Amino acid sequence: MSAIVLSGRELAAQLRAQATTVGCELRSRGIAPALAVVTATADEAAAAYVRSIVRAAKRMEIDCAVHDLGPSATAADLRNRLIKLSLDPDIHGIVLQAPVPPGVSAVDVAAAIDPAKDVDGANPTSLGRLAAGSSAFAPATAEAVMVLLDHYGIPLSGRHVTVVGRSTVVGKPVAHLLLARHATVTICHSRTADLAAHTREADVIVVAAGQPGLVTGAHVKPGSCVIDVGTNSDGAGGIVGDVEAETVEAVAGALSPVPGGVGPVTATLLVEHAIRAASSAADGRS
Ligand code: NAD
């Protein structure tokens, strides 16, 4: 068996086209949607991801400014910048790029982002709303997983989904979104005793661990769907996922590639969220 490739590039192009039209309409009303990305890391994979957000914004014709505070930024530096951007009426979306410097709590700092501009769902208020099932911007990566699954018609209701990773930016929010779609969800993490026992039970596996090659063909039930969220530097300027593609594609029914799977959809959704936030602000609903 050779797994179907769940490409995010084609889907991202569709999403871009729809959101760009909305952005054009806003500009014709004198509103210029604008996104700000705040970063404080020297991490190579994070830098590549920020470049992909800037590229997506450019293609969707919206302003995107990167505020690089450097890897020695303090919690106060980050908080002050996020407050300033939250108060700026010309900024509609704010992203706090992970990882933040050692000793800084991303969730505590993200509390400074105005929830109406929290286009990556990082503020604890947004995360709480997501868990409660009330409307909020979901973290873009978690939403990208859902949009990719829906685009390829992968059924979720009543199906068993195993999520590998329990981070606040990916694992936990994607588990909430899957529960809201009536999937039966198992969450695995670094202390899970027998990972393969849980992944082999799953109809869908979402892997977000940051561990290249963690999930192999031996972890996968024949015909299942595997979404690889991993974005790890390969040390040579490229990125690799968390899935050992050669062995998994021989067993799975569908696999999202890295690069070209979840990543392009995530960047596009972030920009789409900023356009939506600008639209809500313009309508006085923010
Ligand atoms: P994180 O380090 O915050 O969390 C990793 C999670 O994986 C933890 O919950 C940990 O318990 C779990 N884990 C680690 N080793 C494990 C193991 N051996 N078995 C089972 N679970 C294990 O990372 P994160 O921010 O959630 O990111 C995860 C991956 O997703 C990274 O590669 C990151 O670069 C990538 N990512 C991709 C996008 C995208 O848009 N494609 C966005 C965000 C993050």
Side-chain angles (χ1 to χ4, degrees):
M1 187 192 292
S2 187
I4 293 166
V5 178
L6 305 180
S7 167
R9 293 209 167 107
E10 172 210 323
L11 170 57
Q14 281 179 26
L15 295 169
R16 255 196 319 272
Q18 287 158 8
T20 305
T21 307
V22 178
C24 282
E25 273 165 26
L26 282 170
R27 269 196 308 284
S28 71
R29 290 161 57 194
I31 299 140
L35 179 64
V37 182
V38 176
T39 174
T41 175
D43 183 85
E44 225 180 86
Y49 180 53
V50 170
R51 285 195 296 275
S52 77
I53 299 170
V54 172
R55 250 190 334 266
K58 198 168 172 195
R59 289 167 101 168
M60 293 160 81
E61 300 167 42
I62 87 156
D63 292 336
C64 179
V66 178
H67 298 249
D68 186 356
L69 306 193
S72 52
T74 62
D77 295 335
L78 283 161
R79 207 176 285 118
N80 289 341
R81 186 63 60 102
L82 294 171
I83 290 169
K84 195 167 170 222
L85 291 165
S86 291
L87 293 171
D88 184 340
D90 293 330
I91 297 292
H92 304 98
I94 302 169
V95 176
L96 172 62
Q97 178 59 43
V100 292
V104 175
S105 157
V107 172
D108 287 352
V109 167
I113 303 174
D114 177 349
K117 301 184 180 187
D118 186 22
V119 292
D120 204 16
N123 184 319
T125 300
S126 306
L127 290 164
R129 283 188 190 153
L130 183 76
S134 83
S135 86
F137 287 119
T141 309
E143 188 177 333
V145 170
M146 303 304 290
V147 172
L148 196 61
L149 288 167
D150 284 345
H151 179 70
Y152 285 96
I154 311 292
L156 294 170
S157 180
R159 309 296 291 279
H160 186 174
V161 184
T162 295
V163 178
V164 183
R166 59 175 164 183
S167 74
T168 309
V169 278
V170 194
K172 282 181 198 157
V174 86
H176 282 300
L177 293 171
L178 289 161
L179 281 172
R181 297 287 301 278
H182 314 295
T184 300
V185 182
T186 299
I187 305 179
C188 298
H189 48 79
S190 53
R191 299 200 196 174
T192 295
D194 184 354
L195 179 64
H198 296 286
T199 53
R200 273 201 301 263
E201 289 291 309
D203 303 303
V204 176
I205 307 172
V206 178
V207 194
Q211 303 289 327
L214 176 66
V215 169
T216 69
H219 291 78
V220 175
K221 177 166 84 173
S224 60
C225 170
V226 182
I227 303 291
D228 189 356
V229 181
T231 311
N232 311 295
S233 169
D234 67 0
I239 56 164
V240 290
D242 289 347
V243 165
E244 190 180 79
E246 313 81 81
T247 55
V248 168
E249 64 195 7
V251 183
L255 170 65
S256 72
V258 178
V262 175
V265 181
T266 304
T268 305
L269 283 175
L270 272 179
V271 181
E272 189 266 341
H273 286 179
I275 293 171
R276 221 181 325 143
S279 183
S280 297
D283 294 346
R285 286 189 275 110
S286 57

